[in-house]
Each structure stands twice: as C-alpha cells, then as structure tokens.
Amino acid sequence: MQSLFDPTSYQEILSRLEQLQSDSARQWGTMDASQMLWHCQGPLKISLGELKPDKPNVFMRAMFSLFKSSLYNDKPWKPGLPTSKEFVATEAKDFESEKESLAKLIEGFHAKRDTGSLPPHPMFGDFTMPQWGQMQYKHLDHHFRQFGV
C-alpha cells in the first residue's frame, strides 16, 4: 500500500495535485474541484493536530471501529462514500488558494514521517505511522481519481 510518508508516493500526489484544474470534471459526487481541495484538508489537519472535531459518542466510535482497517488497507475506496459533516463543502471555494493550502498540508504531513507518532484520530483512535501515511494517501488518491488526476 502506498503511503504519503513514502517519498515516491508523496511526489506522485503532488504531481497529481498540480495536474488538477479548476474545471476538472468530477466522475462522481457533488463537490467541484475547489470544494474537493478544501475537503481534503480536513483529515490532514486532524493528523497534524490543527483540527480537533468533537469526539463521537460511544455507539458511533464502536461503529467506526468496524471499518477502521478499510481506511488504510490496499483496496481503493468506492465512489460516493459518506463523509463527516465537518468535511462537507456547502459553499464555493477559491481554487488556487485551496490548492495552495492543500499542498502545504501535504508537505507538512510528509515532514512528520520521522516523528514516531501523531495524535489519536478523534473518531478512530490511534493509528501507527504507517497506517496514518497509508490512510492519507488513500484519501487523496480517492479524490484525485474522482477528478481524473
């Protein structure tokens, strides 16, 4: 499984990000490219400790634990998966500023590759560093495929 901590995968993701255009057509879903860029920043901010959404109740945490491993395994995510309400883009976003912000977060995340640990995820709990890297790669790959890059 590819990881955003791997230098080759990291460069691939940055290259694909660069290929994305404001008018790139989505293959599924409702977000436009600018909203997708904004959406992809949330999970990176969580991993970097920059965003701390409310923890779900015990029932929801138990539900999340059932599919935790699907976040970082080698199977691509299917189109149209639900997302947390905090990451649903409901208003227009500026493509260039969102693209720049996402690139900086990707770089910041990659820079953490040798730190040993990242904060627990508020919904899924602890991840190992390899799991964090795989999950972040998988999320970006999912949305870049959504827009054909």
Side-chain angles (χ1 to χ4, degrees):
M1 177 68 208
Q2 290 180 283
S3 168
L4 203 51
F5 289 137
D6 172 68
T8 302
S9 298
Y10 164 71
Q11 287 301 323
E12 174 216 316
I13 286 292
L14 290 178
S15 175
R16 290 168 69 188
L17 175 60
E18 199 53 41
Q19 294 172 40
L20 186 71
Q21 302 297 313
S22 62
D23 61 351
S24 293
R26 66 179 173 258
Q27 309 296 309
W28 68 81
T30 59
M31 294 184 287
D32 64 26
S34 301
Q35 291 170 322
M36 178 273 290
L37 292 169
W38 175 85
H39 164 85
C40 286
Q41 294 172 46
L44 288 161
K45 287 179 180 179
I46 287 175
S47 67
L48 295 169
E50 297 177 15
L51 179 64
K52 297 179 181 177
D54 294 335
K55 289 185 177 183
N57 62 41
V58 174
F59 174 75
M60 291 305 292
R61 281 196 307 264
M63 291 290 294
F64 290 142
S65 71
L66 296 175
F67 64 93
K68 180 178 177 177
S69 65
S70 70
L71 297 174
Y72 52 82
N73 67 18
D74 61 355
K75 294 179 185 173
W77 292 343
K78 295 179 181 177
L81 291 174
T83 190
S84 296
K85 64 181 183 212
E86 297 94 349
F87 303 133
V88 174
T90 57
E91 44 193 65
K93 305 293 180 189
D94 178 72
F95 180 81
E96 291 302 327
S97 64
E98 298 301 341
K99 189 174 183 178
E100 182 179 326
S101 294
L102 181 57
K104 287 180 182 176
L105 285 166
I106 292 168
E107 291 166 10
F109 180 84
H110 181 72
K112 297 284 188 180
R113 66 192 173 279
D114 296 323
T115 62
S117 68
L118 291 169
H121 193 284
M123 294 174 205
F124 297 101
D126 292 323
F127 288 105
T128 65
M129 290 300 278
Q131 290 169 342
W132 270 117
Q134 292 163 345
M135 177 175 57
Q136 294 297 356
Y137 176 89
K138 192 170 178 176
H139 184 242
L140 292 167
D141 174 67
H142 173 76
H143 286 294
F144 289 178
R145 285 185 296 109
Q146 179 184 14
F147 285 88
V149 296

